[in-house]
Amino acid sequence: MSIKLPDLGRGDDEGSQRSGGVAKEKFDGMMSSIKGMSGPKALDPGYKKIRASAVERSHEMSVVGWSVIVVVVSSLIMFLVVVALGEVWSLGDYVNNIFCNNIALIIIVLFLDTIVSSNKESRVKRNEARKILRYNRLIQPDIDLYLVRKNMVVTPNGKTVRKFQVDSNFKVSDMRDMYSPSELVADVGISKIKRYGHFQEVLRHDFSKLVENVDFVYYPEIAEAVMKYLNATSYGEAALDAVIGYEDARAGTKSMRVMVTSMIREEPENGSFMQANPTMKNVYLVHQMINDQEKAVSEYLRLIRTLEDADPVERKKRAKEIEDEDYE
């Protein structure tokens, strides 16, 4: 006696097909119930974004086109009225009047367009200036912190540190005490050169954000001053890292910090980068980097002051702050 067992696999297949068919019908129903998911109104994957300037230009051309159409239609209507009232105007009078009106319209449109364009350009320029000044409000404290640390590096112990001096006109020998602890309580005994390295990098970050977020269409000279600082910092970065690294490095049993300090003290007045040993070459590069940074910051501050003086609101703020300013 043989018993025929049911084909369980086949049953599973049929069940899955039935359940799959039901699921497909439900899914199709859901898709058809959502407006715009299929058909010509669906999202176009080939859609390309259009620049705002292109949209504005298209809008202006559309306005001009519709204006021309309105003028032509109005002239045609007036012509039909003149034809209907033939005794009021002659055809020559009508044509002459239309011609004069069109000439006057063109002159008025050109005049208004010039005024609108001028006002628009002034507004864009004013907005750019205010954007730069807003960024400067964030950058200014970091410039102060940078100047203080920079001046501590270039001022040997025993001399008064002119904290906010921009152009210091220093020599390599003036950097001989850069490894000594910072005199500021906020630096908690960290060396002067390390604190300078930190704050010059902070200022570098600030200036990078400035040039990234402002177009500088009307004030390219400010961008140029900022780029000078960024370039000087980039070129001297490796040398500065090496000089900072000497503080904790050792050459055999000798401390590199002590050796570098001795080299700086013994460096002749007429010494140069080409004649220096490899270690001192890095010190000379840092010296050059600081000089270039000073020139860039000085130029930036001068241009910012000029920009502030041109804005009545900023000029009033500056008048209140100028007494507390210690830049040299």
Side-chain angles (χ1 to χ4, degrees):
M1 180 177 179
S2 62
I3 300 174
K4 186 176 182 180
L5 297 175
D7 189 351
L8 298 178
R10 182 179 177 183
D12 289 344
D13 290 341
E14 291 176 352
S16 61
Q17 288 177 2
R18 286 195 299 270
S19 61
V22 173
K24 185 176 185 303
E25 290 177 359
K26 289 183 179 180
F27 180 75
D28 291 340
M30 291 172 60
M31 293 295 287
S32 61
S33 64
I34 300 176
K35 184 178 180 180
M37 287 297 291
S38 61
K41 292 186 178 181
L43 293 178
D44 181 8
Y47 173 76
K48 295 182 179 180
K49 293 183 178 180
I50 303 175
R51 290 181 178 271
S53 58
V55 174
E56 183 178 354
R57 186 164 55 252
S58 175
H59 174 71
E60 291 176 353
M61 294 301 296
S62 176
V63 170
V64 171
W66 279 108
S67 300
V68 171
I69 292 174
V70 169
V71 170
V72 172
V73 172
S74 300
S75 300
L76 181 59
I77 293 174
M78 290 180 64
F79 176 73
L80 295 176
V81 171
V82 169
V83 171
L85 304 174
E87 298 180 357
V88 179
W89 276 358
S90 66
L91 181 60
D93 293 335
Y94 169 76
V95 172
N96 182 62
N97 184 63
I98 290 296
F99 178 76
C100 293
N101 288 341
N102 284 337
I103 293 296
L105 179 63
I106 291 173
I107 294 174
I108 292 173
V109 169
L110 291 176
F111 177 72
L112 292 177
D113 181 68
T114 302
I115 293 177
V116 170
S117 298
S118 177
N119 290 338
K120 181 179 179 181
E121 184 175 357
S122 298
R123 183 174 65 255
V124 173
K125 183 177 181 180
R126 183 170 60 253
N127 289 340
E128 180 177 299
R130 290 178 177 175
K131 189 173 185 179
I132 293 172
L133 293 176
R134 283 198 302 271
Y135 268 99
N136 182 66
R137 289 285 176 181
L138 301 174
I139 294 173
Q140 201 68 51
D142 290 336
I143 289 179
D144 294 344
L145 294 171
Y146 159 80
L147 290 176
V148 173
R149 272 65 180 195
K150 181 266 297 181
N151 287 322
M152 287 195 300
V153 168
V154 302
T155 304
N157 292 341
K159 290 187 177 182
T160 302
V161 178
R162 300 166 69 178
K163 294 183 178 180
F164 297 104
Q165 185 180 28
V166 181
D167 299 313
S168 51
N169 191 24
F170 67 103
K171 298 177 292 186
V172 170
S173 59
D174 293 328
M175 300 171 61
R176 58 183 176 270
D177 295 315
M178 62 182 175
Y179 290 119
S180 60
S182 171
E183 300 166 3
L184 299 179
V185 176
D187 294 341
V188 291
I190 303 173
S191 67
K192 299 175 181 179
I193 189 67
K194 278 187 178 179
R195 297 310 286 162
Y196 159 75
H198 170 74
F199 284 104
Q200 65 92 32
E201 183 62 28
V202 170
L203 186 56
R204 176 188 187 179
H205 178 267
D206 291 343
F207 279 153
S208 297
K209 290 297 182 183
L210 178 63
V211 296
E212 287 174 3
N213 294 298
V214 179
D215 292 333
F216 291 104
V217 176
Y218 299 97
Y219 302 98
E221 61 277 6
I222 296 179
E224 185 177 350
V226 170
M227 289 304 301
K228 286 180 180 178
Y229 179 91
L230 296 176
N231 289 337
T233 304
S234 296
Y235 285 129
E237 182 177 12
L240 178 61
D241 289 342
V243 170
I244 292 175
Y246 293 154
E247 182 175 355
D248 301 319
R250 303 188 68 84
T253 59
K254 295 183 179 180
S255 168
M256 282 295 297
R257 169 183 173 177
V258 175
M259 292 175 61
V260 173
T261 302
S262 299
M263 290 178 188
I264 295 175
R265 292 179 183 277
E266 296 170 1
E267 189 69 12
E269 289 289 332
N270 59 349
S272 65
F273 172 82
M274 298 302 297
Q275 298 172 351
N277 61 50
T279 301
M280 279 301 298
K281 284 184 185 294
N282 286 323
V283 178
Y284 271 100
L285 288 174
V286 172
H287 172 269
Q288 183 61 46
M289 179 182 74
I290 295 176
N291 271 319
D292 292 341
Q293 287 178 340
E294 285 182 338
K295 294 176 183 177
V297 171
S298 177
E299 181 69 7
Y300 170 80
L301 291 174
R302 183 186 67 80
L303 294 170
I304 288 295
R305 296 297 170 261
T306 303
L307 195 59
E308 288 177 338
D309 291 339
D311 190 311
V313 177
E314 293 295 332
R315 187 164 59 244
K316 290 180 181 179
K317 293 180 182 178
R318 175 144 174 78
K320 295 178 181 178
E321 298 172 355
I322 196 168
E323 296 179 358
D324 300 327
E325 191 172 271
D326 297 324
Y327 294 134
E328 302 176 24

